[in-house]
Amino acid sequence: MLCNVTDKRMTDPIQELGDPHAPILQGLWESVRAGQRHIQLSPYLAASCAFLTHLALCAPFFFLDALGRVCQRVRSWRIAAGSGPPPSLQRWFQCFCRVLFKYTTAVLPAAALLQLLRSPNFPELAPTCWQLFVEVLACFLLFDTLFFIWHYSMHRVPWLYRTVHQMHHQHHVPFALAAQDASSAELLSLLLLALGSAWMLGCHPLSEALFHFLNSWMAVEDHCGYNLPWALHKLLPCMGGAPYHQAHHNKQNTNFAPYFTHWDFLFGTYCASVQHSE
């Protein structure tokens, strides 16, 4: 009897994969669960992945900035309003050093502490595609709301602006890597907003991972300094994109939401995006 139970437990994942009613993502989730568990449970994994993901997502814009110095077509995609030439290699390097220092001294220890305090959850079943979509969308809507409130407060309370947010606004014309170039306090607050959004909604770990990846990409794209033909905000009118966020860096009292535009419309802080170069 014991052998039969053991055999059934060992074959359950295979049976689930063959079950037409099993989630499509079950195979992917099984491979994740079967991975190196000590690495998955490492308190340093989340912050390390966040930093490396940020660098990887910035890489295309690094090459785009380099190409923009010799290619008129690429320069025509840059957002105007006095944006000038693409950022230099020296500016990229200086920004990289600042971000690396903040992650090493603040984000990594804080993320490690949060990881030790939470209980890791590796459910047997993967989310359905619909569940994945709904959870990721809900995370973005909640994060967008929390970010709007926090961002608006930092601009309206002088002490908060000087001590937390002013460093980020050293970039009047942002570029991709500058998305994470902020004070340690601001980086930690954004970490809490992102993690808290997924935790409050009780998301599946796969949904949470996808949300964090897309959140990193959208933050990089918002700061890239380009109004690209294939940018997400041109496909989804409800999103502001890089022109919308660059208008915030130029004027500072508008466009406080990170991605969507509805909160700025409702509170009268929306400003039309700056025009892109011709």
Side-chain angles (χ1 to χ4, degrees):
M1 177 66 69
L2 179 60
C3 292
N4 290 338
V5 172
T6 303
D7 291 342
K8 183 179 185 300
R9 286 177 178 172
M10 293 178 63
T11 57
D12 272 347
I14 300 177
Q15 291 174 354
E16 283 180 359
L17 290 176
D19 185 352
H21 299 291
I24 297 175
L25 300 171
Q26 189 63 40
L28 172 63
W29 181 236
E30 286 293 340
S31 64
V32 171
R33 293 180 73 239
Q36 298 293 326
R37 189 56 62 91
H38 67 283
I39 296 178
Q40 295 173 2
L41 296 178
S42 169
Y44 306 108
L45 180 64
S48 300
C49 285
F51 179 71
L52 294 175
T53 299
H54 180 63
L55 292 183
L57 295 175
C58 287
F61 295 105
F62 174 80
F63 291 109
L64 203 61
D65 282 347
L67 188 60
R69 295 188 170 275
V70 296
C71 178
Q72 176 60 37
R73 179 65 174 173
V74 173
R75 285 199 300 272
S76 72
W77 294 334
R78 284 189 59 76
I79 301 168
S83 62
S88 64
L89 178 61
Q90 180 183 15
R91 194 176 171 200
W92 270 86
F93 179 72
Q94 290 172 344
C95 184
F96 168 78
C97 291
R98 288 193 299 269
V99 174
L100 177 62
F101 177 76
K102 306 284 177 47
Y103 262 84
T104 305
T105 59
V107 177
L108 190 66
L113 178 61
L114 289 173
Q115 183 69 11
L116 291 173
L117 293 176
R118 70 182 296 200
S119 300
N121 179 29
F122 290 91
E124 292 186 6
L125 287 179
T128 63
C129 292
W130 176 248
Q131 179 187 349
L132 183 78
F133 171 77
V134 169
E135 288 182 349
V136 171
L137 179 60
C139 279
F140 271 113
L141 291 173
L142 179 57
F143 175 79
D144 196 78
T145 302
L146 297 175
F147 186 103
F148 175 85
I149 297 170
W150 175 231
H151 195 191
Y152 184 88
S153 300
M154 286 192 290
H155 276 270
R156 288 295 182 263
V157 180
W159 177 82
L160 279 177
Y161 181 80
R162 289 194 306 270
T163 58
V164 179
H165 194 48
Q166 188 173 22
M167 183 175 292
H168 183 63
H169 274 281
Q170 66 181 298
H171 301 285
H172 298 291
V173 180
F175 60 104
L177 195 60
Q180 295 284 314
D181 193 8
S183 68
S184 297
E186 183 167 1
L187 288 177
L188 291 175
S189 68
L190 297 182
L191 172 69
L192 288 174
L193 291 184
L195 292 176
S197 297
W199 294 349
M200 281 188 282
L201 294 170
C203 293
H204 190 281
L206 209 56
S207 303
E208 184 178 348
L210 181 59
F211 161 66
H212 290 310
F213 175 80
L214 294 177
N215 189 31
S216 294
W217 165 252
M218 290 169 66
V220 167
E221 186 179 291
D222 269 7
H223 290 81
C224 71
Y226 290 92
N227 192 11
L228 298 171
W230 56 84
L232 190 60
H233 68 275
K234 293 190 175 182
L235 301 176
L236 300 173
C238 60
M239 308 194 72
Y244 167 85
H245 192 66
Q246 185 151 320
H248 169 74
H249 274 261
N250 291 338
K251 299 183 179 181
Q252 297 199 18
N253 60 347
T254 60
N255 299 355
F256 295 106
Y259 307 131
F260 302 104
T261 57
H262 58 275
W263 288 120
D264 284 300
F265 272 117
L266 288 172
F267 283 88
T269 54
Y270 176 81
C271 174
S273 304
V274 295
Q275 299 298 313
H276 67 282
S277 304
E278 297 298 335

